[in-house]
């Protein structure tokens, strides 16, 4: 797992949650700041307009009075406000102590100026008769200071709240993921032979699928190990008898009194070696099939052509027993599969039929196509298999009447396994005439 990019789930959750909260908080703060800025401007502009209107109303009753100086201001915010009242002839009628003797602004309505004396917001208005003009100014710093206080009040909870939220999220994720550490320790402490399902007392719902997949893997591994142990034990048992027989025949050949006895022993030794070789070959085939869960290099295979090729290879056995052999292969019976495995399937079925059929008997091989389905059937006139034994003969090394009939008990087990890997099924039955065995492999679709 050197190429795996590992990461901390706790740190990732902490980063994502805090990042999301911080982003939402920042967006809210920015929106609140912009909205507050707008509302403060609206409020202060309204106050400027109202102050101007009030001053204009008061001044309208005293147009003939001279200029007045209202004296020094006392409050700090007063020093940031100033006003002037002008007559139409350009005479300054009234001004605040901090206002200059020149007009505050040349524009009517709201305006702003920047200069050595700062940044000011102005409002200028004439009375209805056009004889008096009021100009009111406010230091923009008042607004900025107020908005700064609002911004700080918005940011203050975030500065202290985010660390607290981060601590809480860290504690929550640590507590929430503690069960994962427990499951990891439970799995790490197991012996290799402990393949039972992992069943924690409590676990997050989000890892249910992972636990089920892991338990399924454990079950498959246990099944594979059990199959391997059973295969090894069966193979050791089945090889013990032919090897002992070979050793006995070898000893007989070594102690033979004449050439005739030695030749008989050597012939039996050769026959025993052939049987042992066949047994080992079938065991190796089964061992190769067991780990497979799919088809390597699948291709389109014509069952009819494959059956013809297999039957031609077994022609010598057919002639030796003088069998009434018939092959009926319909064209176009094509299935998707692994060609060599399908060859083993067909060969085992035909070879079993030839071996178990007595001399001068009958063997019929048929390949049919029915719509999208294909069927391979091998019918013989041998002793057949009782109905209550047909399921057991598909088990490995299971033989009917061992010692009386040839075979290792693996042929049909191999056929059943290959059929399973190809999505087909093997069925054993009785021919229409009631004699022998009918073995059929059915594919649901090509």
């Amino acid at each position: 797992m050197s190429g795996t990019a590992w990461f901390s789930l706790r740190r990732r959750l902490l980063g994502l949650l805090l990042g999301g909260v911080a982003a939402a908080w920042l967006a809210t703060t920015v929106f609140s700041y912009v909205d507050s800025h707008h509302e403060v401007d609206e409020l202060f502009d309204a106050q400027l307009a109202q102050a101007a209107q009030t001053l204009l109303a008061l001044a309208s009753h005293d147009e003939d009075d001279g200029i007045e100086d209202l004296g020094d201001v006392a409050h700090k915010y007063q020093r940031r406000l100033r006003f002037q009242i002008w007559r139409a002839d350009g005479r300054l009628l009234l001004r605040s102590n901090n206002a200059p003797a020149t007009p505050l602004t040349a524009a009517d309505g709201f305006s702003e100026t920047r200069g050595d004396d700062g940044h000011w917001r102005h409002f200028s208005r004439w009375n209805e008769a056009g004889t008096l003009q009021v100009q009111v100014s406010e230091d923009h710093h008042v607004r900025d200071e107020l908005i700064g206080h609002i911004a700080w009040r918005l940011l203050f909870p975030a500065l202290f709240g985010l660390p607290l939220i981060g601590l809480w999220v860290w504690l929550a994720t640590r507590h929430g993921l503690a069960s994962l550490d427990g499951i990891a320790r439970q799995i790490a402490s197991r012996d290799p032979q402990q393949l039972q399902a992992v069943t924690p007392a409590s676990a997050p719902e989000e890892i249910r699928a992972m636990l089920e997949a892991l338990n399924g893997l454990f079950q498959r591994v246990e099944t594979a190990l059990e199959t391997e142990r059973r295969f090894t034990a069966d193979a050791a048992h089945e090889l013990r008898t032919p090897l002992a027989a070979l050793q006995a025949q070898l000893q007989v050949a070594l102690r033979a009194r004449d050439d005739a006895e030695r030749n008989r022993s050597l012939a039996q030794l050769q026959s025993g070696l052939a049987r042992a070789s066949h047994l080992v070959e079938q065991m190796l085939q089964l061992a190769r099939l067991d780990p497979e869960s799919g088809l390597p290099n699948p291709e389109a295979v014509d069952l009819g052509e494959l059956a013809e090729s297999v039957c031609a290879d077994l022609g010598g056995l057919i002639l030796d027993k003088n069998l009434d052999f018939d092959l009926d292969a319909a064209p176009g019976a094509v299935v998707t599969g692994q060609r060599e495995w399908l060859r083993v399937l067909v060969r085992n079925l035909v070879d079993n039929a030839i071996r178990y059929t007595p001399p001068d008997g009958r063997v019929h091989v048929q390949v049919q196509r029915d719509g999208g389905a294909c069927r391979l059937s091998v019918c013989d006139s041998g002793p057949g298999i009782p109905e209550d034994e047909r399921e057991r003969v598909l088990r490995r090394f299971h033989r009917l009447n061992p010692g009386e009939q040839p075979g290792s008990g693996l042929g049909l087990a191999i056929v059943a396994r290959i059929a399973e890997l190809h999505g087909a099924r093997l069925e054993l039955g009785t021919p229409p005439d009631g004699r022998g065995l009918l073995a059929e492999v059915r594919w649901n679709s090509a």
Side-chain angles (χ1 to χ4, degrees):
M1 296 190 295
S2 59
T4 303
W6 298 102
F7 63 91
S8 171
L9 185 57
R10 290 188 181 92
R11 286 197 294 270
R12 176 166 290 189
L13 286 175
L14 184 63
L16 290 175
L17 291 174
L18 281 184
V21 171
W25 211 322
L26 179 61
T28 304
T29 301
V30 171
F31 174 79
S32 301
Y33 176 79
V34 173
D35 185 65
S36 300
H37 198 296
H38 174 73
E39 293 299 324
V40 166
D41 284 339
E42 290 287 334
L43 176 61
F44 277 81
D45 284 350
Q47 288 179 345
L48 281 177
Q50 185 178 13
Q53 186 176 2
T54 302
L55 288 170
L56 192 59
L58 293 173
S60 297
H61 298 286
D62 302 316
E63 285 190 44
D64 297 330
D65 296 341
I67 185 169
E68 295 186 21
D69 191 337
L70 298 182
D72 295 333
V73 294
H75 198 276
K76 64 175 183 178
Y77 284 124
Q78 263 187 290
R79 291 191 293 270
R80 296 177 182 178
L81 294 171
R82 57 190 184 181
F83 68 90
Q84 296 172 338
I85 301 178
W86 295 87
R87 292 178 59 170
D89 58 4
R91 178 185 173 189
L92 181 60
L93 183 64
L94 185 68
R95 70 180 177 88
S96 61
N97 182 264
N98 58 344
T102 57
L104 297 175
T105 179
D108 290 334
F110 289 102
S111 62
E112 293 186 11
T113 61
R114 295 176 183 268
D116 296 336
D117 56 347
H119 181 194
W120 294 85
R121 176 77 168 173
H122 312 291
F123 181 74
S124 178
R125 181 176 178 177
W126 289 89
N127 62 0
E128 293 182 0
T131 58
L132 292 177
Q133 182 189 40
V134 173
Q135 293 185 348
V136 183
S137 297
E138 179 186 65
D139 191 348
H140 210 285
H141 181 70
V142 176
R143 303 185 183 201
D144 295 338
E145 185 178 351
L146 180 58
I147 294 172
H149 281 298
I150 294 175
W152 172 247
R153 295 296 177 87
L154 291 173
L155 289 175
F156 183 80
L159 296 177
F160 290 92
L162 282 178
L164 293 177
I165 293 176
L167 177 61
W168 171 251
V169 170
W170 182 79
L171 292 175
T173 54
R174 181 180 180 182
H175 176 73
L177 298 177
S179 58
L180 298 182
D181 296 332
I183 295 172
R185 287 192 297 270
Q186 180 182 350
I187 296 175
S189 62
R190 286 189 171 193
D191 293 330
Q193 294 80 13
Q194 292 180 302
L195 295 173
Q196 64 270 23
V198 179
T199 54
S202 63
E205 182 69 25
E206 288 74 14
I207 67 168
R208 178 195 288 260
M210 184 183 70
L211 278 180
E212 291 177 350
L214 182 63
N215 289 334
L217 175 63
F218 282 163
Q219 184 176 4
R220 292 193 297 273
V221 171
E222 185 176 15
T223 301
L225 290 177
E226 178 61 28
T227 301
E228 183 178 349
R229 286 192 292 266
R230 186 171 64 249
F231 178 81
T232 303
D234 292 343
H237 174 75
E238 293 298 323
L239 285 173
R240 187 180 298 113
T241 300
L243 290 178
L246 289 175
Q247 186 176 11
Q249 293 298 332
L250 181 60
Q251 291 176 353
V252 171
L254 292 175
R255 298 174 183 176
R257 292 177 294 233
D258 52 35
D259 291 342
E261 184 178 358
R262 182 179 295 105
N263 289 337
R264 284 195 303 272
S265 298
L266 290 175
Q268 292 178 354
L269 181 62
Q270 184 178 13
S271 176
L273 283 172
R275 288 194 298 271
S277 176
H278 179 69
L279 173 61
V280 170
E281 180 182 357
Q282 288 193 315
M283 288 169 58
L284 291 176
Q285 286 178 350
L286 199 56
R288 285 194 297 268
L289 291 174
D290 268 337
E292 300 295 341
S293 59
L295 297 176
N297 304 320
E299 58 180 315
V301 180
D302 190 317
L303 283 178
E305 294 180 359
L306 191 63
E308 291 178 2
S309 175
V310 170
C311 293
D313 293 340
L314 297 175
L317 295 177
I318 297 171
L319 294 176
D320 289 343
K321 301 187 74 171
N322 194 30
L323 299 177
D324 179 11
F325 190 87
D326 182 28
L327 171 62
D328 180 12
V334 179
V335 298
T336 300
Q338 216 284 335
R339 181 179 297 273
E340 293 305 317
W341 290 2
L342 291 175
R343 177 179 291 275
V344 172
L345 180 148
V346 177
R347 182 182 179 89
N348 280 2
L349 287 179
V350 177
D351 183 71
N352 273 359
I354 294 173
R355 289 176 181 273
Y356 282 89
T357 301
D360 301 322
R362 173 182 53 81
V363 174
H364 178 57
V365 180
Q366 186 178 40
V367 177
Q368 290 182 317
R369 181 178 178 84
D370 183 12
C374 293
R375 179 170 65 90
L376 167 68
S377 62
V378 179
C379 180
D380 63 59
S381 59
I385 299 176
E387 187 174 355
D388 58 350
E389 288 284 341
R390 289 172 186 169
E391 184 176 350
R392 285 195 287 269
V393 295
L394 300 182
R395 301 173 186 171
R396 300 172 182 181
F397 301 109
H398 183 86
R399 287 180 291 174
L400 295 175
N401 303 321
E404 297 181 10
Q405 298 179 4
S408 61
L410 289 175
L412 290 178
I414 293 174
V415 171
R417 177 60 176 157
I418 295 176
E420 179 185 0
L421 291 173
H422 284 77
R425 64 183 185 276
L426 170 64
E427 297 177 356
L428 302 179
T430 303
D433 59 5
R435 297 172 51 199
L437 177 68
L438 172 63
E440 289 186 340
V441 180
R442 295 177 178 268
W443 285 262
N444 292 328
S445 60

